[in-house]
Amino acid sequence: ALSHRVTENFSAYGQYSRGYKGGGYQLDRSGMDLAAPALAQVAFGAETADSFELGLRGFSQDGIWRFGAALFHSSFNNYQFSYFTGLNRRTQNVPDLTSKGFEIEAALRPVPPLEFTLAATYQEVIFGKSGFPLALSNLEGSTSPLAPRWVVVGTISYSHEIANLGVMVFGSTNMRWQSRSNAGASATPTPDFVQEAYAVVGAQLGIAGRDNHWQLEIWGRNIFDQRAWSILNSTTLQPGSISGYVSDPQTLGVTGTLRW
């Protein structure tokens, strides 16, 4: 990695990294040939990745704002793809997968108790176009599952000390939005596995004593009870049927903490 201070408030950087993930075995015997079973039938090879990133970071000396932006490009070689066949789970290597895009994050503190933050990622995660095993040939040139093009996260937070009462009040709300994506765990892309764009909102409101000896907060996750599929696949031994897991439901709670 290399970095350079461009101005008093901004610095630029560039970095390269190489990753390695060892091979292994998908321990599901149903993936073997019943007539002539062999361990090699459930084996998969090692995976490597080459990643490049160029970025710019900045902040104000008075702490009112900060900013970061980056371009990234990662090439996965011999990518280990795990999928559900409708009968069993398999992991096989495919020649290549490329992930590229950009990230932006920013924060603004107009007054000391209040802060706004925003982060956005755009990514294209695309399989290679040739050389795939026959069982995975439908993936060639397609977008990887579970890789929405856009993910946007925003937060508003507030904290203020009430000195004469010796307490700190705080609160925040956050939102995560992602664009339309393929939520399938299958080797065959299909419209049946599409998850439309959705947003999830959470919030918390609390009060804490001086030096954080005690704290009480009420909170909510997925406040509007947004239902979304986290993963989908063909139902075992039921052609034409789909099974899946939904994201976490609306959850509300109260948390109290004592420290001594």
Side-chain angles (χ1 to χ4, degrees), residues 144-222:
S144 173
L146 309 179
R149 288 291 176 96
W150 283 98
V151 176
V152 180
V153 179
T155 302
I156 302 173
S157 57
Y158 178 88
S159 62
H160 179 65
E161 183 179 6
I162 305 176
N164 58 341
L165 296 180
V167 299
M168 173 76 75
V169 294
F170 60 90
S172 68
T173 182
N174 60 80
M175 180 277 296
R176 181 187 184 278
W177 175 87
Q178 71 171 52
S179 61
R180 192 171 185 262
S181 66
N182 172 14
S186 167
T188 304
T190 168
D192 294 333
F193 293 154
V194 169
Q195 168 59 55
E196 297 297 335
Y198 69 96
V200 175
V201 177
Q204 67 172 157
L205 180 65
I207 185 171
R210 183 172 288 142
D211 300 324
N212 280 328
H213 288 310
W214 61 270
Q215 180 174 302
L216 181 68
E217 64 178 294
I218 58 175
W219 50 266
R221 302 189 186 102
N222 193 6

Coordinates of all heavy atoms in Angstrom, one line a residue, residues 144-222:
S144 N -23.4 -12.6 -9.8 CA -23.3 -13.6 -8.7 C -24.5 -13.4 -7.8 O -25.1 -12.3 -7.6 CB -22.1 -13.3 -7.8 OG -22.1 -14.1 -6.7
P145 N -25.0 -14.5 -7.2 CA -26.1 -14.4 -6.2 C -25.7 -13.6 -5.0 O -24.5 -13.5 -4.7 CB -26.3 -15.9 -5.8 CG -25.7 -16.7 -6.9 CD -24.6 -15.9 -7.4
L146 N -26.7 -13.0 -4.3 CA -26.4 -12.3 -3.1 C -25.5 -11.1 -3.2 O -24.7 -10.9 -2.4 CB -25.9 -13.3 -2.0 CG -26.7 -14.6 -1.8 CD1 -26.1 -15.4 -0.7 CD2 -28.2 -14.2 -1.4
A147 N -25.6 -10.5 -4.4 CA -24.7 -9.3 -4.7 C -25.5 -8.2 -5.3 O -25.4 -8.0 -6.5 CB -23.5 -9.8 -5.6
P148 N -26.3 -7.5 -4.5 CA -27.0 -6.3 -5.1 C -26.1 -5.3 -5.6 O -25.0 -5.1 -5.1 CB -27.8 -5.8 -3.9 CG -27.0 -6.3 -2.7 CD -26.4 -7.6 -3.1
R149 N -26.5 -4.6 -6.7 CA -25.7 -3.6 -7.3 C -25.4 -2.4 -6.3 O -24.3 -1.9 -6.3 CB -26.3 -3.1 -8.6 CG -26.3 -4.0 -9.8 CD -24.9 -4.2 -10.3 NE -24.8 -5.2 -11.3 CZ -24.8 -4.9 -12.6 NH1 -24.9 -3.7 -13.0 NH2 -24.7 -5.9 -13.5
W150 N -26.5 -2.0 -5.6 CA -26.4 -0.9 -4.7 C -26.7 -1.3 -3.3 O -27.6 -2.0 -3.0 CB -27.3 0.2 -5.1 CG -26.9 1.0 -6.3 CD1 -27.4 0.8 -7.6 CD2 -26.0 2.1 -6.3 NE1 -26.8 1.8 -8.4 CE2 -26.0 2.6 -7.7 CE3 -25.3 2.8 -5.4 CZ2 -25.2 3.7 -8.1 CZ3 -24.5 3.9 -5.7 CH2 -24.5 4.3 -7.1
V151 N -25.9 -0.8 -2.3 CA -26.2 -0.9 -0.9 C -26.0 0.5 -0.3 O -24.9 1.1 -0.5 CB -25.3 -1.9 -0.2 CG1 -25.7 -1.9 1.3 CG2 -25.6 -3.3 -0.7
V152 N -27.0 1.1 0.3 CA -26.9 2.4 0.9 C -27.3 2.3 2.4 O -28.3 1.8 2.7 CB -27.8 3.4 0.2 CG1 -27.7 4.8 0.8 CG2 -27.4 3.5 -1.3
V153 N -26.4 2.9 3.2 CA -26.7 2.9 4.7 C -26.6 4.3 5.2 O -25.6 5.0 4.9 CB -25.6 2.0 5.4 CG1 -25.9 2.0 6.9 CG2 -25.7 0.6 4.9
G154 N -27.6 4.8 5.9 CA -27.6 6.1 6.5 C -27.9 6.0 8.0 O -28.7 5.2 8.5
T155 N -27.3 7.0 8.8 CA -27.5 7.0 10.2 C -27.6 8.5 10.6 O -26.9 9.3 10.2 CB -26.4 6.4 11.0 OG1 -26.2 5.0 10.6 CG2 -26.6 6.4 12.5
I156 N -28.5 8.7 11.6 CA -28.6 10.0 12.3 C -28.5 9.7 13.8 O -29.2 8.9 14.3 CB -30.0 10.7 12.0 CG1 -30.2 10.9 10.5 CG2 -30.0 12.0 12.8 CD1 -31.6 11.5 10.2
S157 N -27.5 10.3 14.4 CA -27.3 10.1 15.8 C -27.2 11.4 16.6 O -26.8 12.4 16.1 CB -26.0 9.2 16.0 OG -24.9 9.9 15.5
Y158 N -27.7 11.3 17.9 CA -27.7 12.5 18.7 C -27.3 12.1 20.1 O -27.7 11.0 20.6 CB -29.1 13.1 18.7 CG -29.2 14.3 19.6 CD1 -29.0 15.6 19.1 CD2 -29.7 14.2 20.9 CE1 -29.1 16.7 19.9 CE2 -29.8 15.3 21.7 CZ -29.5 16.5 21.2 OH -29.6 17.6 22.1
S159 N -26.5 12.8 20.8 CA -26.1 12.6 22.2 C -25.9 13.9 22.8 O -25.3 14.8 22.2 CB -24.9 11.7 22.3 OG -23.7 12.3 21.7
H160 N -26.4 14.1 24.1 CA -26.3 15.4 24.8 C -26.2 15.1 26.3 O -27.0 14.3 26.8 CB -27.5 16.3 24.4 CG -27.4 17.6 25.1 ND1 -26.5 18.5 24.9 CD2 -28.3 18.1 26.1 CE1 -26.7 19.6 25.6 NE2 -27.8 19.3 26.4
E161 N -25.3 15.8 26.9 CA -25.1 15.6 28.3 C -25.9 16.7 29.1 O -25.9 17.9 28.7 CB -23.7 15.7 28.8 CG -23.5 15.5 30.3 CD -22.0 15.6 30.7 OE1 -21.2 15.9 29.8 OE2 -21.7 15.4 31.8
I162 N -26.7 16.3 30.0 CA -27.5 17.2 30.9 C -26.7 17.3 32.2 O -26.8 16.4 33.1 CB -28.9 16.7 31.1 CG1 -29.6 16.5 29.8 CG2 -29.7 17.7 32.0 CD1 -31.0 15.9 29.9
A163 N -25.8 18.2 32.3 CA -24.8 18.3 33.3 C -25.5 18.4 34.7 O -25.0 17.7 35.7 CB -23.9 19.5 33.1
N164 N -26.5 19.2 34.9 CA -27.1 19.4 36.2 C -27.8 18.1 36.7 O -28.1 18.0 37.9 CB -28.0 20.6 36.2 CG -29.2 20.5 35.2 OD1 -29.1 19.7 34.3 ND2 -30.2 21.2 35.4
L165 N -28.1 17.2 35.8 CA -28.7 15.9 36.2 C -27.7 14.8 36.2 O -28.0 13.7 36.7 CB -29.9 15.6 35.3 CG -31.1 16.5 35.3 CD1 -32.2 16.0 34.3 CD2 -31.7 16.6 36.7
G166 N -26.6 15.1 35.7 CA -25.5 14.0 35.6 C -25.9 12.9 34.7 O -25.4 11.7 35.0
V167 N -26.6 13.1 33.6 CA -26.9 12.0 32.7 C -26.6 12.4 31.3 O -26.5 13.6 31.0 CB -28.4 11.7 32.8 CG1 -28.8 11.2 34.2 CG2 -29.3 12.8 32.4
M168 N -26.5 11.4 30.4 CA -26.4 11.6 29.0 C -27.6 11.0 28.3 O -27.9 9.8 28.5 CB -25.1 10.9 28.5 CG -24.9 10.9 27.0 SD -24.3 12.5 26.4 CE -22.6 12.4 26.9
V169 N -28.2 11.8 27.4 CA -29.3 11.2 26.6 C -28.8 11.0 25.2 O -27.9 11.8 24.7 CB -30.5 12.2 26.6 CG1 -31.2 12.3 28.0 CG2 -30.2 13.6 26.1
F170 N -29.2 10.0 24.6 CA -28.7 9.7 23.2 C -29.8 9.0 22.4 O -30.8 8.4 23.0 CB -27.5 8.8 23.3 CG -27.7 7.5 24.0 CD1 -28.1 6.3 23.3 CD2 -27.5 7.3 25.4 CE1 -28.3 5.1 23.9 CE2 -27.7 6.1 26.0 CZ -28.1 5.0 25.3
G171 N -29.7 9.0 21.2 CA -30.6 8.3 20.3 C -30.0 8.3 18.9 O -29.1 9.0 18.5
S172 N -30.5 7.3 18.1 CA -30.1 7.2 16.7 C -31.2 6.5 15.9 O -32.0 5.7 16.5 CB -28.8 6.5 16.6 OG -28.9 5.1 17.0
T173 N -31.1 6.7 14.6 CA -32.0 5.9 13.7 C -31.1 5.6 12.5 O -30.2 6.4 12.1 CB -33.2 6.7 13.3 OG1 -34.0 5.9 12.4 CG2 -32.8 8.0 12.5
N174 N -31.3 4.4 11.9 CA -30.5 4.0 10.8 C -31.4 3.3 9.8 O -32.4 2.8 10.1 CB -29.4 3.0 11.3 CG -30.0 1.8 12.0 OD1 -30.4 0.8 11.3 ND2 -30.0 1.8 13.3
M175 N -30.9 3.4 8.5 CA -31.6 2.8 7.4 C -30.6 2.1 6.5 O -29.5 2.6 6.2 CB -32.4 3.8 6.7 CG -33.2 3.3 5.5 SD -32.2 3.1 3.9 CE -31.7 4.8 3.6
R176 N -30.9 0.8 6.1 CA -30.1 0.1 5.1 C -31.0 -0.2 3.9 O -32.0 -0.9 4.1 CB -29.5 -1.1 5.7 CG -28.6 -1.9 4.7 CD -28.2 -3.2 5.2 NE -27.2 -3.9 4.4 CZ -27.6 -4.6 3.3 NH1 -28.9 -4.8 3.0 NH2 -26.7 -5.2 2.5
W177 N -30.6 0.2 2.7 CA -31.4 -0.1 1.5 C -30.5 -0.8 0.6 O -29.3 -0.5 0.4 CB -31.8 1.2 0.9 CG -32.5 1.0 -0.4 CD1 -33.9 0.8 -0.6 CD2 -31.9 1.1 -1.7 NE1 -34.1 0.7 -2.0 CE2 -33.0 0.9 -2.7 CE3 -30.6 1.3 -2.2 CZ2 -32.7 0.8 -4.0 CZ3 -30.4 1.3 -3.6 CH2 -31.5 1.1 -4.5
Q178 N -31.0 -1.8 -0.1 CA -30.3 -2.5 -1.2 C -31.2 -2.7 -2.4 O -32.4 -2.8 -2.3 CB -29.8 -3.9 -0.7 CG -30.8 -5.0 -0.5 CD -30.2 -6.3 -0.3 OE1 -29.4 -6.5 0.6 NE2 -30.6 -7.3 -1.0
S179 N -30.6 -2.7 -3.5 CA -31.3 -2.8 -4.8 C -31.7 -4.2 -5.1 O -31.3 -5.1 -4.3 CB -30.4 -2.2 -5.9 OG -29.2 -3.0 -6.0
R180 N -32.4 -4.4 -6.2 CA -32.9 -5.7 -6.6 C -31.7 -6.6 -6.7 O -30.6 -6.3 -7.2 CB -33.5 -5.5 -8.0 CG -34.3 -6.7 -8.5 CD -35.1 -6.1 -9.7 NE -36.0 -7.1 -10.3 CZ -35.7 -7.9 -11.3 NH1 -34.5 -7.8 -11.9 NH2 -36.6 -8.8 -11.8
S181 N -31.9 -7.9 -6.3 CA -30.7 -8.9 -6.4 C -31.2 -10.3 -6.6 O -32.4 -10.6 -6.4 CB -29.9 -8.8 -5.1 OG -30.7 -9.2 -4.0
N182 N -30.3 -11.2 -6.9 CA -30.6 -12.6 -7.0 C -30.3 -13.2 -5.7 O -29.2 -13.2 -5.2 CB -29.7 -13.2 -8.1 CG -29.8 -14.7 -8.1 OD1 -30.6 -15.3 -7.6 ND2 -28.8 -15.3 -8.8
A183 N -31.4 -13.7 -5.0 CA -31.2 -14.3 -3.7 C -31.1 -15.8 -3.8 O -31.3 -16.5 -2.7 CB -32.4 -13.9 -2.8
G184 N -30.9 -16.4 -4.9 CA -30.9 -17.8 -5.1 C -29.6 -18.5 -4.7 O -28.5 -18.0 -4.8
A185 N -29.8 -19.7 -4.2 CA -28.6 -20.5 -3.8 C -28.5 -21.7 -4.8 O -27.9 -22.7 -4.6 CB -28.8 -21.1 -2.4
S186 N -28.9 -21.4 -6.0 CA -28.9 -22.4 -7.1 C -27.9 -22.1 -8.1 O -27.4 -21.0 -8.2 CB -30.3 -22.4 -7.8 OG -30.3 -23.1 -9.0
A187 N -27.6 -23.1 -9.0 CA -26.6 -22.8 -10.1 C -27.3 -22.3 -11.3 O -26.6 -22.1 -12.3 CB -25.8 -24.1 -10.3
T188 N -28.6 -22.2 -11.3 CA -29.4 -21.7 -12.4 C -30.1 -20.4 -12.1 O -31.1 -20.4 -11.4 CB -30.4 -22.8 -12.8 OG1 -29.7 -24.0 -13.1 CG2 -31.1 -22.4 -14.1
P189 N -29.6 -19.3 -12.6 CA -30.3 -18.0 -12.4 C -31.7 -18.1 -13.0 O -31.9 -18.6 -14.1 CB -29.4 -17.0 -13.2 CG -28.1 -17.7 -13.3 CD -28.4 -19.1 -13.4
T190 N -32.6 -17.6 -12.2 CA -34.0 -17.6 -12.6 C -34.8 -16.4 -12.0 O -34.5 -16.0 -10.8 CB -34.7 -18.9 -12.2 OG1 -36.1 -18.8 -12.4 CG2 -34.5 -19.3 -10.8
P191 N -35.8 -15.9 -12.6 CA -36.6 -14.8 -12.1 C -37.2 -15.2 -10.8 O -37.6 -14.3 -9.9 CB -37.6 -14.5 -13.2 CG -37.0 -14.9 -14.4 CD -36.2 -16.1 -14.1
D192 N -37.5 -16.5 -10.5 CA -38.1 -16.9 -9.3 C -37.3 -16.6 -8.1 O -37.8 -16.6 -7.0 CB -38.4 -18.4 -9.4 CG -39.4 -18.8 -10.5 OD1 -40.2 -17.9 -10.8 OD2 -39.3 -19.9 -11.0
F193 N -36.0 -16.4 -8.2 CA -35.1 -16.2 -7.1 C -34.8 -14.7 -6.9 O -33.8 -14.4 -6.2 CB -33.8 -17.0 -7.3 CG -34.0 -18.5 -7.2 CD1 -33.1 -19.3 -7.9 CD2 -35.0 -19.0 -6.5 CE1 -33.2 -20.7 -7.8 CE2 -35.2 -20.4 -6.5 CZ -34.3 -21.2 -7.1
V194 N -35.5 -13.8 -7.6 CA -35.2 -12.4 -7.5 C -35.8 -11.8 -6.2 O -37.0 -12.0 -5.9 CB -35.7 -11.6 -8.7 CG1 -35.6 -10.1 -8.5 CG2 -34.9 -12.0 -9.9
Q195 N -35.0 -11.0 -5.5 CA -35.5 -10.3 -4.3 C -35.5 -8.8 -4.8 O -34.5 -8.2 -5.1 CB -34.6 -10.4 -3.1 CG -34.8 -9.4 -2.0 CD -36.3 -9.5 -1.4 OE1 -36.7 -10.6 -1.1 NE2 -37.0 -8.4 -1.5
E196 N -36.7 -8.2 -4.7 CA -36.8 -6.8 -5.1 C -36.1 -5.9 -4.1 O -35.9 -6.3 -3.0 CB -38.3 -6.4 -5.2 CG -39.1 -7.2 -6.3 CD -38.5 -6.9 -7.7 OE1 -37.9 -5.8 -7.9 OE2 -38.7 -7.7 -8.6
A197 N -35.9 -4.7 -4.5 CA -35.2 -3.7 -3.6 C -36.0 -3.5 -2.3 O -37.3 -3.5 -2.3 CB -35.1 -2.4 -4.3
Y198 N -35.4 -3.3 -1.2 CA -36.1 -3.1 0.0 C -35.2 -2.3 1.0 O -33.9 -2.2 0.8 CB -36.5 -4.4 0.7 CG -35.4 -5.3 1.2 CD1 -35.0 -5.2 2.5 CD2 -34.7 -6.1 0.3 CE1 -34.0 -6.0 3.0 CE2 -33.7 -6.9 0.8 CZ -33.3 -6.9 2.1 OH -32.3 -7.7 2.6
A199 N -35.8 -1.8 2.1 CA -35.0 -1.0 3.1 C -35.5 -1.5 4.5 O -36.6 -1.9 4.7 CB -35.3 0.5 3.0
V200 N -34.5 -1.5 5.4 CA -34.8 -1.9 6.8 C -34.4 -0.7 7.7 O -33.3 -0.1 7.5 CB -34.0 -3.1 7.1 CG1 -34.1 -3.5 8.6 CG2 -34.4 -4.3 6.3
V201 N -35.2 -0.4 8.6 CA -35.0 0.8 9.5 C -34.9 0.3 10.9 O -35.7 -0.5 11.4 CB -36.1 1.8 9.3 CG1 -35.9 3.0 10.3 CG2 -36.2 2.3 7.9
G202 N -34.0 0.9 11.7 CA -33.8 0.6 13.1 C -33.6 1.9 13.9 O -33.4 3.0 13.3
A203 N -33.8 1.9 15.2 CA -33.7 3.1 16.0 C -33.4 2.7 17.5 O -33.7 1.5 17.9 CB -34.9 3.9 15.9
Q204 N -32.8 3.6 18.2 CA -32.6 3.4 19.6 C -32.8 4.8 20.3 O -32.5 5.8 19.7 CB -31.3 2.8 20.0 CG -30.1 3.7 19.6 CD -28.8 3.1 20.1 OE1 -27.7 3.5 19.6 NE2 -28.8 2.2 21.1
L205 N -33.2 4.7 21.6 CA -33.3 5.9 22.4 C -32.9 5.5 23.8 O -33.4 4.5 24.3 CB -34.7 6.5 22.3 CG -35.0 7.8 23.2 CD1 -34.2 8.9 22.6 CD2 -36.5 8.1 23.1
G206 N -32.0 6.3 24.4 CA -31.6 5.9 25.8 C -31.1 7.0 26.6 O -31.0 8.2 26.2
I207 N -30.7 6.6 27.9 CA -30.2 7.6 28.9 C -29.1 6.8 29.6 O -29.3 5.6 29.9 CB -31.3 8.1 29.8 CG1 -30.8 9.1 30.7 CG2 -32.0 6.9 30.5 CD1 -31.9 9.9 31.5
A208 N -28.0 7.5 30.0 CA -26.9 6.9 30.7 C -26.5 7.8 31.8 O -26.5 9.0 31.7 CB -25.8 6.6 29.7
G209 N -26.0 7.2 32.9 CA -25.5 7.9 34.0 C -24.0 8.4 33.7 O -23.4 7.9 32.8
R210 N -23.6 9.3 34.5 CA -22.2 9.8 34.4 C -21.2 8.6 34.5 O -21.4 7.7 35.3 CB -21.9 10.9 35.5 CG -20.6 11.5 35.4 CD -20.5 12.7 36.3 NE -21.3 13.8 35.9 CZ -22.0 14.6 36.7 NH1 -22.0 14.4 38.0 NH2 -22.7 15.6 36.2
D211 N -20.2 8.7 33.7 CA -19.2 7.6 33.6 C -19.7 6.3 33.2 O -19.1 5.2 33.4 CB -18.4 7.5 35.0 CG -17.7 8.7 35.4 OD1 -17.2 9.4 34.5 OD2 -17.7 9.0 36.6
N212 N -20.9 6.3 32.6 CA -21.5 5.0 32.1 C -21.7 3.9 33.1 O -21.6 2.7 32.8 CB -20.8 4.5 30.9 CG -21.1 5.3 29.6 OD1 -22.2 5.7 29.4 ND2 -20.1 5.4 28.8
H213 N -21.9 4.3 34.4 CA -22.1 3.2 35.4 C -23.5 2.5 35.2 O -23.6 1.4 35.6 CB -22.1 3.8 36.8 CG -20.7 4.2 37.2 ND1 -19.6 3.4 37.1 CD2 -20.2 5.4 37.8 CE1 -18.5 4.0 37.6 NE2 -18.8 5.2 37.9
W214 N -24.4 3.2 34.6 CA -25.7 2.6 34.2 C -26.2 3.1 32.9 O -25.8 4.2 32.5 CB -26.7 2.8 35.3 CG -27.0 4.2 35.6 CD1 -26.4 5.1 36.5 CD2 -28.1 5.0 35.0 NE1 -27.0 6.3 36.4 CE2 -28.0 6.3 35.5 CE3 -29.0 4.7 34.0 CZ2 -28.8 7.3 35.1 CZ3 -29.9 5.8 33.6 CH2 -29.8 7.0 34.1
Q215 N -27.0 2.4 32.3 CA -27.6 2.8 31.0 C -28.9 2.1 30.8 O -29.1 0.9 31.1 CB -26.6 2.4 29.9 CG -27.1 2.8 28.5 CD -26.0 2.6 27.4 OE1 -24.9 3.2 27.5 NE2 -26.3 1.8 26.4
L216 N -29.9 2.8 30.2 CA -31.2 2.2 29.9 C -31.5 2.7 28.5 O -31.4 3.9 28.2 CB -32.2 2.7 30.9 CG -33.6 2.1 30.7 CD1 -33.7 0.6 30.9 CD2 -34.6 2.9 31.6
E217 N -31.9 1.8 27.6 CA -32.3 2.1 26.3 C -33.4 1.3 25.7 O -33.6 0.1 26.1 CB -31.1 2.0 25.3 CG -30.6 0.6 25.1 CD -29.4 0.6 24.2 OE1 -29.6 0.8 23.0 OE2 -28.3 0.3 24.6
I218 N -34.3 1.9 24.9 CA -35.3 1.1 24.2 C -34.8 1.1 22.7 O -34.2 2.1 22.2 CB -36.7 1.8 24.3 CG1 -36.7 3.2 23.8 CG2 -37.2 1.7 25.7 CD1 -38.1 3.9 23.9
W219 N -35.1 0.1 22.0 CA -34.6 -0.1 20.7 C -35.5 -0.9 19.8 O -36.4 -1.6 20.3 CB -33.2 -0.7 20.7 CG -33.1 -2.0 21.5 CD1 -32.7 -2.1 22.8 CD2 -33.4 -3.3 21.0 NE1 -32.8 -3.4 23.2 CE2 -33.2 -4.2 22.1 CE3 -33.9 -3.8 19.8 CZ2 -33.5 -5.6 22.0 CZ3 -34.2 -5.2 19.7 CH2 -33.9 -6.0 20.8
G220 N -35.3 -0.7 18.5 CA -36.1 -1.5 17.5 C -35.3 -1.8 16.3 O -34.5 -1.0 15.9
R221 N -35.4 -3.0 15.8 CA -34.8 -3.4 14.6 C -35.8 -3.8 13.6 O -36.8 -4.5 14.0 CB -33.8 -4.6 14.8 CG -32.7 -4.3 15.9 CD -31.7 -5.5 15.9 NE -30.7 -5.3 17.0 CZ -30.8 -5.9 18.2 NH1 -31.7 -6.8 18.4 NH2 -29.9 -5.7 19.1
N222 N -35.6 -3.5 12.3 CA -36.6 -3.7 11.3 C -38.0 -3.2 11.8 O -39.0 -3.9 11.8 CB -36.7 -5.2 10.9 CG -37.5 -5.4 9.6 OD1 -37.9 -4.5 9.0 ND2 -37.7 -6.7 9.3

